[in-house]
Amino acid sequence: MTEYWVSQGNKWCDFCKIYISNNPLSIRTHELGQRHKDNVSKKLATMRKESAVKEKQQKEAARALKAIEAKAKQSYQKDLASFERSNDPSAELEPNKKSADEAQSSSATKSGDGVASSSKGGAAPGRVVSTPLNPTRAVKGAPSSIAVNKRKRDDGKAKVISKEEAEALKAREAARKRMEEREKPFMGLYKSY
C-alpha cells in the first residue's frame, strides 16, 4: 500500500488569533513569546471583568426580586384584610350603591368621558382616547416621513443668522479651503515633477 504525503497543518491560537505551525517546537516558541503572554493576560483580565459584571447583575436581580416579593406580600395581606372586611356580616351595604353582580351584568357601560365600552367587566381601566394620537397622520398605518427617509424641504425663506453664527460659518469655510489646498498634492490633482 502506498503512503500519501499529508501536510502538517496549522494550529490556531485562540488568544493571538493567528495560525502557527503544528509542531511542538513552534507551539512552545509561540507560547513562550511576549505577544502570546500579553494576549493571555488580556483575555484573563476581560474574563475577570465580565464575571464581576455578571455577578453584580445577579445581585441586583436578586435584590429587585426580594423587593417585588415584599411588595407582593404586603399587597396580598392588604387584599386579605379588605376581603375579610367585605365578608363581615355586621357591615351594612349602603342603599344607593350597586351590587357587584349588577355592575357585571351590564354589557355596555359608559366610561368617564362618555365613550361607550363593550367590555364585560364594566368600564375600561384608565382613560379611553377616541381621537388619534398623531393628528398629522391622516391614515392609520401610513408610513411616516421618517420611516421612508424623506428629508424636510426648505421653504425657500432665508434663515435669520446671528453675527456669531455668520462668523463661525465663515471660519469653517476658510478652514475647509485651507485643508483642501493642503491636501491637493495627496489627491493627485496636479503633477509635481
Side-chain angles (χ1 to χ4, degrees):
M1 183 181 231
T2 60
E3 293 183 22
Y4 293 101
W5 177 84
V6 179
S7 174
Q8 191 174 13
N10 291 327
K11 182 181 183 332
W12 175 253
C13 178
D14 287 325
F15 299 106
C16 302
K17 308 288 188 233
I18 60 168
Y19 284 103
I20 52 176
S21 298
N22 195 12
N23 59 42
L25 180 64
S26 296
I27 294 170
R28 186 173 53 243
T29 305
H30 173 72
E31 289 177 352
L32 292 175
Q34 189 62 39
R35 184 172 100 179
H36 180 77
K37 289 179 181 178
D38 291 341
N39 289 335
V40 169
S41 63
K42 284 180 189 176
K43 181 79 168 187
L44 291 174
T46 57
M47 288 172 65
R48 279 189 217 108
K49 286 179 185 176
E50 289 173 358
S51 66
V53 167
K54 188 182 264 188
E55 185 177 337
K56 184 178 179 182
Q57 288 176 348
Q58 287 176 348
K59 286 182 180 178
E60 287 178 6
R63 191 178 322 122
L65 281 176
K66 283 183 182 179
I68 290 170
E69 288 290 329
K71 286 182 181 180
K73 188 174 183 180
Q74 183 181 10
S75 177
Y76 178 68
Q77 295 298 331
K78 188 192 239 183
D79 289 345
L80 279 179
S82 67
F83 179 71
E84 288 175 3
R85 273 188 268 129
S86 67
N87 284 343
D88 191 10
S90 64
E92 295 180 17
L93 291 175
E94 293 179 11
N96 57 359
K97 279 192 175 180
K98 286 186 179 181
S99 67
D101 296 333
E102 291 175 18
Q104 287 182 353
S105 65
S106 64
S107 63
T109 61
K110 292 201 172 200
S111 63
D113 54 351
V115 178
S117 169
S118 61
S119 64
K120 292 183 179 179
R127 216 174 104 208
V128 177
V129 179
S130 59
T131 60
L133 296 177
N134 187 356
T136 59
R137 184 181 281 180
V139 181
K140 185 175 181 181
S144 68
S145 62
I146 297 170
V148 290
N149 294 327
K150 288 186 180 177
R151 286 187 268 162
K152 292 183 180 179
R153 295 183 181 182
D154 292 333
D155 297 334
K157 298 177 184 176
K159 284 186 175 181
V160 178
I161 299 175
S162 67
K163 289 182 180 179
E164 293 89 19
E165 289 176 335
E167 291 173 5
L169 288 173
K170 286 180 185 176
R172 186 183 304 151
E173 187 64 26
R176 187 183 64 79
K177 286 182 180 177
R178 285 194 306 270
M179 195 262 318
E180 283 179 357
E181 289 296 321
R182 187 174 57 238
E183 299 292 327
K184 267 187 186 177
F186 304 116
M187 301 299 284
L189 297 177
Y190 67 92
K191 294 181 183 179
S192 58
Y193 293 105

